[in-house]
Every structure is written in C-alpha cells, then in structure tokens.
Amino acid sequence: MKATLLHGPKDIRVGEVPEPALLESTDAIVRVTHACICGSDLWPYRGVGLDGDGPAEPQRIGHEFLGVVEETGSDVTSPRPGDVVVAPFTFSDGSCEFCRDGLPTSCVNGGMWGSGGVDGGQGEAVRVPRAEGTLVRLPGGSDEALSASLLTLSDVFSTGHHAAVSASVKRGSTVVVVGDGAVGLSGVLASARLGAERIVIMGRHTPRTELAERFGATDVVPERGAEGVERVRELTGGHGAPHVLECVGTDDSLATAVGVVRDGGAIGRVGAPTYANIPQSAETFFRNVTISGGVAPARDYIPELLPDVLEGRVQPGLVFDRTVGLDDVADGYRAMHEREALKVLVRP
Amino acid sequence: MKATLLHGPKDIRVGEVPEPALLESTDAIVRVTHACICGSDLWPYRGVGLDGDGPAEPQRIGHEFLGVVEETGSDVTSPRPGDVVVAPFTFSDGSCEFCRDGLPTSCVNGGMWGSGGVDGGQGEAVRVPRAEGTLVRLPGGSDEALSASLLTLSDVFSTGHHAAVSASVKRGSTVVVVGDGAVGLSGVLASARLGAERIVIMGRHTPRTELAERFGATDVVPERGAEGVERVRELTGGHGAPHVLECVGTDDSLATAVGVVRDGGAIGRVGAPTYANIPQSAETFFRNVTISGGVAPARDYIPELLPDVLEGRVQPGLVFDRTVGLDDVADGYRAMHEREALKVLVRP
C-alpha cells in the first residue's frame, strides 16, 4: 500500500510500504479515508529533531486520521469492522489510571503515531494499537459534508479546546488567543463554544483572522511584540485578559502571552514548545500567573465535542483550505511550510 | 523611635528613625507589638539585590507585624485607635479591581513595606498606607498565647495556604511539600487544614520534619535530587503526587517539584524565585503539568484563616523557635542565616 515517508529535510514522498497486519490481539486495522498535515509535522519536515541528513530509514508520518475499520484483534469488542472511526493523535488503552483520569496522553500503554514500529496516519491504512481505548466510533457513519470537521477532533480542534480549558475559559470570559494558525483559530472556536464573551485574536494574516471572526473572535490585533501587548491591554481595560491561549510555541509567543495575561490569570499553552524554558519566572510569580496546558488529551475530549460537530453547531473543519490526494502530499507540506495553505486535508 | 536598618550585606542594626506620622488621609499609625524575620529578608541581608557595598541609605526592613492602632487618617473608618491589628506583607486599598477579585498583591495602589518611603515592619511603629484596605482587626484583641499564630497570618501561614490552594489541594488529596523551612511547614499545615489525606514532606532537618509531622505530614523524605524524586514516586504509587507545593524557590527545588508531580498535576510555587526561568518546558508540556502560585494574597486569605487560628484549630505559630527583643534583631538574622533558628519572632 502507499504511505507518506519522510526521507530527510524537505524530502517527503509517497512510497510503497507493507500492508498493515494485526500484531496484537488489541490492534485494529483502519482503512484511512481522510488524513491531514499538522503544524507539528512541519518540524521534522524542516529537519528539526532529525539527525544529520534525515532519518536513517524513511519515517512514517501523520497523526490525524478518519477511516473505516477493516479488521480487529480478538480482544477488541468495539469498534467493529465496517465502523467509521476517528483516531486521536496519540493512542491509549482507555483503562489505565491516567486514561481513567482523563489524561490519555499519559497512558502507560500509549504512544505516538509514526514511530517505534507504529504506523503514521498519512497513508492508505494504519495498524491501530489499543484500538478499543483509542478509536472513537462515529455514530452517523461517514457523512462527507462533516468529514473535515470530524477529522479536526483528532487533534486541532481538541487542541484548541484544551487551550481554552487549560486557561479556564467559561461563560462570559474575556480571552486572548496568541497565534492565527489552525490551532489558534480552533482556540477561538473552542472559546466561543464555551461561552466566552470577548475573544481577541493576535494575528496578521487577513484570511485567517477573517475565519477567526467567523469562529467568534470579537477583536483582531495584528501588531506583534510590545506593540501588540500594548494594543491588547488597551482593549482589555489596561490590565490584560484573565484567559490567554498560547497557540504557537515560541519564546516570542510565550512572552506575548505573559504580556497580555491579567495578574492572577491563566495561560493555556498548546503550541508545541520550541523554547527550552518558560521565561519571566519572577514576573509570572509576582503577578500570580498560572501556566497550564500541554499536549491535548484529545481522546478524552472527543465524546464531549462530537455532538456539536455532528449537529453542525460548530464547524471546525473550516480550517482546511486545501485538499490533496495522497500522491500530492509533498505539495501539501510545501504549501503549509510556505504559508500558502493554512491546513491541508489529505485524501488517500 | 527604634527600627531595624540594613546598612549592607550582613550589616543589620537597630537605629533611631523619626517617629512615623500620618502623611495621607488613608494612613494609620500602628505601634508594633510583634514582628518577625522572613526567609525572604535573608536575601537582602546576604547582599542579594543590593548594589556594591549595600544600600546608599540604611534601608528599613521587615514586612510581617501585629500591633495596636495609635492614630488614623480622616478617611479611615476602620480600624479605630486602640484596635489590635495584623498587617499582611503587602499593603492594598481593598477597593481596586484586583482587591475585589481577591488578588491584593496586584492592588493598583498597593506596595511593599520597607521601600519607597514606606516603613518596614521590624521597628517600634509603622505608618500604614491604605490602612482601611490593608489592616485586619483582630476581634479578640490581644491574646498573648495566640500572638505568634496570629502573626503568621501576615505572611508565612498565608503563603503556605497559597501554595496549597494554587496546587488545588482538597479533601483526600495526596500532596508533596518541597522544603522544610517555615513556609514548607506552613504548607503542610495548610494542606492538612484543607483535608489532604497524604502529605509527604521533603526535608532533612529533623526538628523541622518533626514539626511537619505534628502539622499533619504523613511521610518524610530526607533524600534530595533524583534520589528524593525516586523515593517520593515509590511512596505515591510510582507516578508522583497530583499536588506539589514548591516552598524553596531555587532551580533544584523546582526541578524536584517537576520530578515528583504526577502527570496532569499542579505545582503551587511560593518560594520567591531565585531562578530566572522555569525549566523543563517540554517535560511539563508533554506531561500536562500546571505551574501556578506566586506571591500570596495574604490580605484576602486572612478572614478565612483567622477563625481557625482564634479557636486554636491550627497553631501555625509553632514555626517560631526563637524570640528576640528589637535590640537583638541582628542576632536573629544571624541565627536564621546559619539555620540555627527556623523562624525568629521580634518583640519591639
């Protein structure tokens, strides 16, 4: 079958790999109908975290997918072959103490797609470990009009939701979202869904901030750095906002988040950190700023978010602005890397 | 009158200063009956944050005191002259948006004792700015048996409480307290008061850990660093504790806190940070560790903590293991600096 393989920096190709087969009694095989490219896939694509010229062996990639169950191991009661399922961006057993506590990303039997002998999501099929704990059955089956939105439950919308939850967003909140990438936009939508009253997005790419407004943003601040902080403070009564979603993951974006958060407020950080340390320890201490968030426990959020997607109350799939076939996945990476596309859907 | 003056590193003396007088209509003059030395007073005592040989002018010091109101400005309705009051370690107006939100440490008209023309607490009397917002009247008047415990509301017990609250300690919680100084011990007591079931204190000074056990600690871990982390993990089912109180404020103590916190848990940090950055940004991110806390909003906590002190249900004053007269304050600093005393009470 065909799957996306990372050969080295900027060298991504579709190649032939063996058809997946059940290895454990808890596995399932899923035929992928929809996958996508994540902002975090661009890090290895750009060579970050790769040794020398790239992986010694071409590496499977992709961690967001929707598909149809083809086969299940003997210990998998649900889902059943033929079921349409969405996979969260980490797999998990659904039964360990962390899964029971709602933190499947820390599952003692869990892991990531695309490494350690586990398939990546950007291919024709995937062997899913811990299938019963990992996969979420989509009750309506496959509804093409909803597919893009259902696919975002895998990562990007769940991650935006995690940012909002971690920043304690609730009905009536004033929120600042740092970053207008697909995660930031999902954070806007998640905040609006939780009832936030005022949502300021910090971003300078007009098509993206327009989508942010469609998702519920009430204000757009294109300025960056100290100027952006000043502008947000003006908009929020001089002291910043109690709830800040950090959706980028760089030193600069974190400093901006600290600059726009109100004393006593919380920063929900979901941008995969490219910074080594959290700066401004004294400032956050004297201002009682809480720094929360991390990798989103998508598997735990999907049951809560799913009804709103199925019933069309939210349309997180609007973050996709391009669709490519599997053979064109390299062009999808290029388009996202060059900021020509916001988020690319892949149809194997 | 006499007051404590910091002349330079390790050079602290009692000297003559002018009697305080009302400067603003919102001021009060308080005759100090009980003051004390804080671990954070040891930083300037050791020369940290001082330029060259010390302050250009001898600097007033001390930020914890109990006393009797002598005189009040025309805009102060309460307290009245003759009232016994406790002062939190920052002053605040009690009416700004931060004070109303329970964060008086961020009061827009607030500040610290001992700088910018404001008296320090280690003296015979203090001019208290924003007296109506700042001071808390002690309904029972002056009860010598309770004085030490009432004095801890000013800072150390309120700070221990803030660590516990910031780490979301509640009934039944498993808690780890990093540090066996007066703040750490107060964190143990505060956690027990909030109903924590298991309280592990990390400390190696037997008289202190014995007091921790009296305050409610169930386990003592004297090991430090990786060995200490390992030991705590063994005691907490292998994964650490969901609630960690960081009561030291160094790089090492913060790393220990990250090491002993369970994935998805919270660190309440109240040790004044001597570290520039919060390290291990990726580890805390992938493990969804929340970093909360900061400078304690003591003024907001005192009304909640006061009844338990007045009725003897908690005895936070047991952290004082030495009392000196004002003339001997230098020896009190020396004793705390040399770890001969845990916390020194000063009787002007």
Side-chain angles (χ1 to χ4, degrees), chain A residues 251-301:
Chain A
D251 273 315
D252 284 349
S253 63
L254 200 62
T256 297
V258 172
V260 299
V261 72
R262 187 173 185 270
D263 289 17
I267 297 171
R269 60 179 181 130
V270 295
T274 60
Y275 47 86
N277 299 308
I278 300 171
Q280 296 160 290
S281 70
E283 181 173 350
T284 51
F285 184 89
F286 287 103
R287 293 177 49 215
N288 270 286
V289 171
T290 293
I291 295 159
S292 194
V295 64
R299 178 61 186 82
D300 191 64
Y301 289 142

Short mmCIF file of all heavy atoms in Angstrom, two decimals, chain A residues 251-301:
data_model
loop_
_atom_site.label_atom_id
_atom_site.label_comp_id
_atom_site.label_asym_id
_atom_site.label_seq_id
_atom_site.Cartn_x
_atom_site.Cartn_y
_atom_site.Cartn_z
N ASP A 251 9.48 31.29 21.96
CA ASP A 251 9.82 32.24 23.03
C ASP A 251 9.00 33.51 22.90
O ASP A 251 8.48 34.03 23.88
CB ASP A 251 11.32 32.60 22.95
CG ASP A 251 12.18 31.62 23.72
OD1 ASP A 251 11.80 31.28 24.86
OD2 ASP A 251 13.21 31.18 23.19
N ASP A 252 8.92 34.03 21.67
CA ASP A 252 8.20 35.29 21.45
C ASP A 252 6.72 35.17 21.78
O ASP A 252 6.14 36.07 22.40
CB ASP A 252 8.33 35.73 19.98
CG ASP A 252 9.70 36.33 19.69
OD1 ASP A 252 10.45 36.57 20.66
OD2 ASP A 252 10.01 36.54 18.51
N SER A 253 6.11 34.07 21.36
CA SER A 253 4.66 33.95 21.59
C SER A 253 4.38 33.77 23.08
O SER A 253 3.38 34.27 23.60
CB SER A 253 4.08 32.79 20.78
OG SER A 253 4.63 31.56 21.20
N LEU A 254 5.28 33.09 23.78
CA LEU A 254 5.09 32.91 25.21
C LEU A 254 5.26 34.24 25.93
O LEU A 254 4.49 34.57 26.85
CB LEU A 254 6.10 31.88 25.73
CG LEU A 254 5.74 31.24 27.06
CD1 LEU A 254 4.44 30.46 26.97
CD2 LEU A 254 6.86 30.31 27.51
N ALA A 255 6.26 35.03 25.50
CA ALA A 255 6.45 36.35 26.11
C ALA A 255 5.22 37.22 25.86
O ALA A 255 4.78 37.97 26.74
CB ALA A 255 7.71 37.01 25.55
N THR A 256 4.66 37.12 24.66
CA THR A 256 3.43 37.87 24.36
C THR A 256 2.30 37.42 25.27
O THR A 256 1.56 38.24 25.82
CB THR A 256 3.04 37.68 22.88
OG1 THR A 256 4.08 38.22 22.07
CG2 THR A 256 1.73 38.38 22.56
N ALA A 257 2.19 36.11 25.46
CA ALA A 257 1.13 35.58 26.33
C ALA A 257 1.29 36.13 27.75
O ALA A 257 0.31 36.54 28.38
CB ALA A 257 1.17 34.05 26.33
N VAL A 258 2.51 36.16 28.26
CA VAL A 258 2.75 36.70 29.61
C VAL A 258 2.42 38.20 29.62
O VAL A 258 1.85 38.71 30.59
CB VAL A 258 4.21 36.45 30.06
CG1 VAL A 258 4.51 37.18 31.36
CG2 VAL A 258 4.47 34.95 30.23
N GLY A 259 2.71 38.88 28.51
CA GLY A 259 2.43 40.31 28.44
C GLY A 259 0.96 40.65 28.44
O GLY A 259 0.55 41.68 28.97
N VAL A 260 0.14 39.79 27.85
CA VAL A 260 -1.29 40.13 27.72
C VAL A 260 -2.17 39.49 28.78
O VAL A 260 -3.37 39.75 28.84
CB VAL A 260 -1.85 39.76 26.32
CG1 VAL A 260 -1.12 40.53 25.22
CG2 VAL A 260 -1.79 38.26 26.06
N VAL A 261 -1.58 38.64 29.64
CA VAL A 261 -2.42 37.99 30.65
C VAL A 261 -2.56 38.94 31.84
O VAL A 261 -1.63 39.64 32.24
CB VAL A 261 -1.84 36.62 31.08
CG1 VAL A 261 -0.58 36.76 31.92
CG2 VAL A 261 -2.89 35.80 31.82
N ARG A 262 -3.76 38.96 32.38
CA ARG A 262 -4.04 39.77 33.56
C ARG A 262 -3.39 39.12 34.78
O ARG A 262 -3.30 37.89 34.85
CB ARG A 262 -5.56 39.82 33.74
CG ARG A 262 -6.07 40.77 34.82
CD ARG A 262 -7.61 40.81 34.73
NE ARG A 262 -8.19 41.75 35.65
CZ ARG A 262 -8.56 41.48 36.90
NH1 ARG A 262 -8.40 40.26 37.39
NH2 ARG A 262 -9.10 42.42 37.66
N ASP A 263 -2.99 39.92 35.76
CA ASP A 263 -2.49 39.36 37.02
C ASP A 263 -3.53 38.39 37.57
O ASP A 263 -4.74 38.68 37.57
CB ASP A 263 -2.26 40.46 38.05
CG ASP A 263 -1.07 41.36 37.71
OD1 ASP A 263 -0.62 41.34 36.55
OD2 ASP A 263 -0.61 42.08 38.62
N GLY A 264 -3.07 37.24 38.02
CA GLY A 264 -3.99 36.24 38.55
C GLY A 264 -4.62 35.37 37.48
O GLY A 264 -5.38 34.46 37.80
N GLY A 265 -4.30 35.63 36.22
CA GLY A 265 -4.90 34.88 35.11
C GLY A 265 -4.13 33.62 34.76
O GLY A 265 -3.15 33.27 35.41
N ALA A 266 -4.61 32.94 33.72
CA ALA A 266 -4.01 31.67 33.32
C ALA A 266 -3.68 31.67 31.83
O ALA A 266 -4.45 32.17 31.01
CB ALA A 266 -4.96 30.52 33.63
N ILE A 267 -2.53 31.09 31.53
CA ILE A 267 -2.13 30.86 30.14
C ILE A 267 -2.29 29.37 29.86
O ILE A 267 -1.69 28.54 30.54
CB ILE A 267 -0.66 31.28 29.92
CG1 ILE A 267 -0.49 32.79 30.15
CG2 ILE A 267 -0.19 30.88 28.51
CD1 ILE A 267 0.97 33.25 30.17
N GLY A 268 -3.12 29.04 28.86
CA GLY A 268 -3.24 27.65 28.42
C GLY A 268 -2.33 27.48 27.22
O GLY A 268 -2.59 28.02 26.16
N ARG A 269 -1.25 26.74 27.40
CA ARG A 269 -0.28 26.65 26.30
C ARG A 269 -0.45 25.32 25.58
O ARG A 269 -0.47 24.26 26.20
CB ARG A 269 1.16 26.85 26.79
CG ARG A 269 1.62 25.85 27.82
CD ARG A 269 3.09 26.12 28.23
NE ARG A 269 3.51 25.14 29.21
CZ ARG A 269 4.63 24.42 29.14
NH1 ARG A 269 5.49 24.62 28.16
NH2 ARG A 269 4.93 23.53 30.05
N VAL A 270 -0.61 25.39 24.28
CA VAL A 270 -0.74 24.18 23.48
C VAL A 270 0.18 24.18 22.27
O VAL A 270 0.25 23.19 21.56
CB VAL A 270 -2.20 23.95 23.01
CG1 VAL A 270 -3.12 23.68 24.20
CG2 VAL A 270 -2.72 25.11 22.18
N GLY A 271 0.88 25.29 22.05
CA GLY A 271 1.86 25.31 20.97
C GLY A 271 3.04 24.44 21.39
O GLY A 271 3.64 24.70 22.44
N ALA A 272 3.34 23.40 20.60
CA ALA A 272 4.46 22.50 20.98
C ALA A 272 5.70 23.36 21.21
O ALA A 272 6.11 24.11 20.34
CB ALA A 272 4.69 21.48 19.87
N PRO A 273 6.29 23.26 22.42
CA PRO A 273 7.32 24.22 22.80
C PRO A 273 8.63 24.06 22.03
O PRO A 273 9.24 23.01 22.05
CB PRO A 273 7.53 23.96 24.30
CG PRO A 273 6.99 22.60 24.55
CD PRO A 273 5.98 22.31 23.49
N THR A 274 9.02 25.12 21.35
CA THR A 274 10.35 25.17 20.73
C THR A 274 11.29 25.94 21.64
O THR A 274 12.45 26.11 21.33
CB THR A 274 10.27 25.85 19.35
OG1 THR A 274 9.78 27.19 19.56
CG2 THR A 274 9.34 25.13 18.42
N TYR A 275 10.76 26.43 22.78
CA TYR A 275 11.57 27.13 23.78
C TYR A 275 12.01 26.10 24.83
O TYR A 275 11.30 25.14 25.11
CB TYR A 275 10.75 28.25 24.45
CG TYR A 275 9.37 27.82 24.90
CD1 TYR A 275 9.17 27.24 26.14
CD2 TYR A 275 8.27 27.95 24.06
CE1 TYR A 275 7.91 26.82 26.55
CE2 TYR A 275 7.00 27.52 24.46
CZ TYR A 275 6.84 26.96 25.70
OH TYR A 275 5.60 26.53 26.10
N ALA A 276 13.21 26.32 25.40
CA ALA A 276 13.73 25.36 26.38
C ALA A 276 13.15 25.60 27.76
O ALA A 276 12.87 24.68 28.52
CB ALA A 276 15.25 25.43 26.43
N ASN A 277 12.96 26.87 28.10
CA ASN A 277 12.49 27.22 29.44
C ASN A 277 11.32 28.17 29.32
O ASN A 277 11.15 28.86 28.32
CB ASN A 277 13.60 27.90 30.23
CG ASN A 277 14.79 26.99 30.41
OD1 ASN A 277 14.66 25.86 30.87
ND2 ASN A 277 15.97 27.48 30.03
N ILE A 278 10.53 28.24 30.39
CA ILE A 278 9.46 29.22 30.46
C ILE A 278 10.07 30.48 31.07
O ILE A 278 10.53 30.44 32.21
CB ILE A 278 8.31 28.69 31.33
CG1 ILE A 278 7.75 27.39 30.71
CG2 ILE A 278 7.22 29.74 31.46
CD1 ILE A 278 6.75 26.66 31.58
N PRO A 279 10.14 31.55 30.31
CA PRO A 279 10.87 32.73 30.80
C PRO A 279 10.06 33.53 31.80
O PRO A 279 8.93 33.17 32.13
CB PRO A 279 11.10 33.54 29.52
CG PRO A 279 9.93 33.20 28.67
CD PRO A 279 9.52 31.79 29.01
N GLN A 280 10.65 34.59 32.29
CA GLN A 280 9.96 35.56 33.16
C GLN A 280 9.40 34.92 34.42
O GLN A 280 8.25 35.16 34.80
CB GLN A 280 8.84 36.25 32.36
CG GLN A 280 9.38 37.08 31.22
CD GLN A 280 8.33 37.35 30.18
OE1 GLN A 280 7.90 36.44 29.48
NE2 GLN A 280 7.91 38.60 30.09
N SER A 281 10.21 34.08 35.05
CA SER A 281 9.72 33.37 36.24
C SER A 281 9.34 34.35 37.34
O SER A 281 8.37 34.12 38.06
CB SER A 281 10.77 32.39 36.75
OG SER A 281 11.84 33.10 37.31
N ALA A 282 10.08 35.45 37.49
CA ALA A 282 9.77 36.39 38.56
C ALA A 282 8.50 37.16 38.22
O ALA A 282 7.64 37.35 39.06
CB ALA A 282 10.94 37.35 38.78
N GLU A 283 8.37 37.59 36.96
CA GLU A 283 7.18 38.34 36.59
C GLU A 283 5.92 37.50 36.78
O GLU A 283 4.93 37.97 37.36
CB GLU A 283 7.27 38.84 35.15
CG GLU A 283 6.01 39.63 34.81
CD GLU A 283 6.03 40.32 33.46
OE1 GLU A 283 7.09 40.37 32.82
OE2 GLU A 283 4.95 40.82 33.07
N THR A 284 5.94 36.27 36.30
CA THR A 284 4.76 35.43 36.46
C THR A 284 4.50 35.14 37.94
O THR A 284 3.34 35.00 38.36
CB THR A 284 4.88 34.11 35.67
OG1 THR A 284 6.13 33.49 36.01
CG2 THR A 284 4.84 34.35 34.18
N PHE A 285 5.56 35.06 38.74
CA PHE A 285 5.41 34.82 40.18
C PHE A 285 4.75 36.01 40.87
O PHE A 285 3.74 35.86 41.56
CB PHE A 285 6.79 34.56 40.79
CG PHE A 285 6.77 34.20 42.25
CD1 PHE A 285 6.64 32.87 42.65
CD2 PHE A 285 6.88 35.17 43.23
CE1 PHE A 285 6.62 32.53 43.99
CE2 PHE A 285 6.85 34.84 44.58
CZ PHE A 285 6.73 33.52 44.96
N PHE A 286 5.30 37.19 40.65
CA PHE A 286 4.76 38.35 41.37
C PHE A 286 3.38 38.74 40.88
O PHE A 286 2.62 39.38 41.59
CB PHE A 286 5.76 39.52 41.35
CG PHE A 286 6.93 39.24 42.26
CD1 PHE A 286 8.16 38.86 41.76
CD2 PHE A 286 6.76 39.30 43.64
CE1 PHE A 286 9.21 38.55 42.61
CE2 PHE A 286 7.81 38.99 44.50
CZ PHE A 286 9.03 38.61 43.99
N ARG A 287 3.04 38.32 39.67
CA ARG A 287 1.72 38.60 39.13
C ARG A 287 0.76 37.41 39.24
O ARG A 287 -0.35 37.45 38.76
CB ARG A 287 1.85 39.05 37.68
CG ARG A 287 2.58 40.42 37.56
CD ARG A 287 2.77 40.81 36.10
NE ARG A 287 1.54 40.67 35.38
CZ ARG A 287 1.42 40.28 34.12
NH1 ARG A 287 2.51 40.00 33.41
NH2 ARG A 287 0.26 40.15 33.54
N ASN A 288 1.23 36.33 39.89
CA ASN A 288 0.36 35.16 40.10
C ASN A 288 -0.26 34.64 38.80
O ASN A 288 -1.47 34.37 38.73
CB ASN A 288 -0.74 35.48 41.13
CG ASN A 288 -0.29 35.16 42.54
OD1 ASN A 288 -0.20 34.01 42.94
ND2 ASN A 288 0.04 36.22 43.29
N VAL A 289 0.57 34.49 37.79
CA VAL A 289 0.10 33.95 36.51
C VAL A 289 0.26 32.43 36.52
O VAL A 289 1.33 31.92 36.85
CB VAL A 289 0.91 34.56 35.35
CG1 VAL A 289 0.60 33.86 34.03
CG2 VAL A 289 0.64 36.06 35.25
N THR A 290 -0.79 31.74 36.19
CA THR A 290 -0.76 30.28 36.10
C THR A 290 -0.42 29.87 34.67
O THR A 290 -0.98 30.42 33.72
CB THR A 290 -2.12 29.68 36.50
OG1 THR A 290 -2.32 29.93 37.89
CG2 THR A 290 -2.19 28.19 36.23
N ILE A 291 0.52 28.91 34.57
CA ILE A 291 0.87 28.39 33.24
C ILE A 291 0.42 26.94 33.19
O ILE A 291 0.91 26.10 33.94
CB ILE A 291 2.38 28.55 33.00
CG1 ILE A 291 2.70 30.05 32.94
CG2 ILE A 291 2.79 27.87 31.69
CD1 ILE A 291 4.12 30.39 33.20
N SER A 292 -0.54 26.69 32.31
CA SER A 292 -1.17 25.39 32.28
C SER A 292 -1.18 24.86 30.84
O SER A 292 -0.61 25.47 29.95
CB SER A 292 -2.59 25.53 32.84
OG SER A 292 -3.14 24.28 33.12
N GLY A 293 -1.82 23.74 30.64
CA GLY A 293 -1.92 23.19 29.30
C GLY A 293 -0.83 22.19 29.01
O GLY A 293 -0.16 21.69 29.90
N GLY A 294 -0.66 21.91 27.71
CA GLY A 294 0.28 20.89 27.27
C GLY A 294 -0.33 20.14 26.10
O GLY A 294 -1.18 20.68 25.36
N VAL A 295 0.08 18.90 25.97
CA VAL A 295 -0.39 18.08 24.85
C VAL A 295 -1.86 17.69 25.14
O VAL A 295 -2.20 17.28 26.25
CB VAL A 295 0.61 16.90 24.68
CG1 VAL A 295 0.62 15.99 25.88
CG2 VAL A 295 0.37 16.14 23.42
N ALA A 296 -2.71 17.90 24.17
CA ALA A 296 -4.16 17.78 24.42
C ALA A 296 -4.63 16.33 24.57
O ALA A 296 -4.33 15.50 23.70
CB ALA A 296 -4.94 18.43 23.28
N PRO A 297 -5.37 16.03 25.63
CA PRO A 297 -5.93 14.68 25.78
C PRO A 297 -7.15 14.51 24.89
O PRO A 297 -8.28 14.38 25.35
CB PRO A 297 -6.30 14.64 27.28
CG PRO A 297 -6.55 16.07 27.65
CD PRO A 297 -5.66 16.91 26.77
N ALA A 298 -6.90 14.49 23.57
CA ALA A 298 -7.99 14.51 22.58
C ALA A 298 -8.98 13.37 22.81
O ALA A 298 -10.20 13.58 22.75
CB ALA A 298 -7.41 14.44 21.17
N ARG A 299 -8.46 12.17 23.09
CA ARG A 299 -9.35 11.01 23.25
C ARG A 299 -10.42 11.25 24.31
O ARG A 299 -11.54 10.78 24.21
CB ARG A 299 -8.53 9.76 23.60
CG ARG A 299 -9.35 8.52 23.85
CD ARG A 299 -10.15 8.15 22.61
NE ARG A 299 -11.07 7.04 22.83
CZ ARG A 299 -12.28 7.17 23.38
NH1 ARG A 299 -12.72 8.35 23.78
NH2 ARG A 299 -13.04 6.11 23.51
N ASP A 300 -10.02 12.03 25.34
CA ASP A 300 -10.97 12.32 26.41
C ASP A 300 -11.97 13.39 26.01
O ASP A 300 -13.09 13.42 26.51
CB ASP A 300 -10.19 12.76 27.65
CG ASP A 300 -11.10 12.81 28.88
OD1 ASP A 300 -11.60 11.75 29.26
OD2 ASP A 300 -11.30 13.91 29.43
N TYR A 301 -11.56 14.30 25.14
CA TYR A 301 -12.45 15.40 24.76
C TYR A 301 -13.46 15.02 23.67
O TYR A 301 -14.52 15.64 23.55
CB TYR A 301 -11.62 16.59 24.24
CG TYR A 301 -10.82 17.34 25.28
CD1 TYR A 301 -9.54 17.83 24.98
CD2 TYR A 301 -11.33 17.59 26.56
CE1 TYR A 301 -8.80 18.55 25.92
CE2 TYR A 301 -10.59 18.30 27.50
CZ TYR A 301 -9.32 18.78 27.17
OH TYR A 301 -8.61 19.49 28.10
#
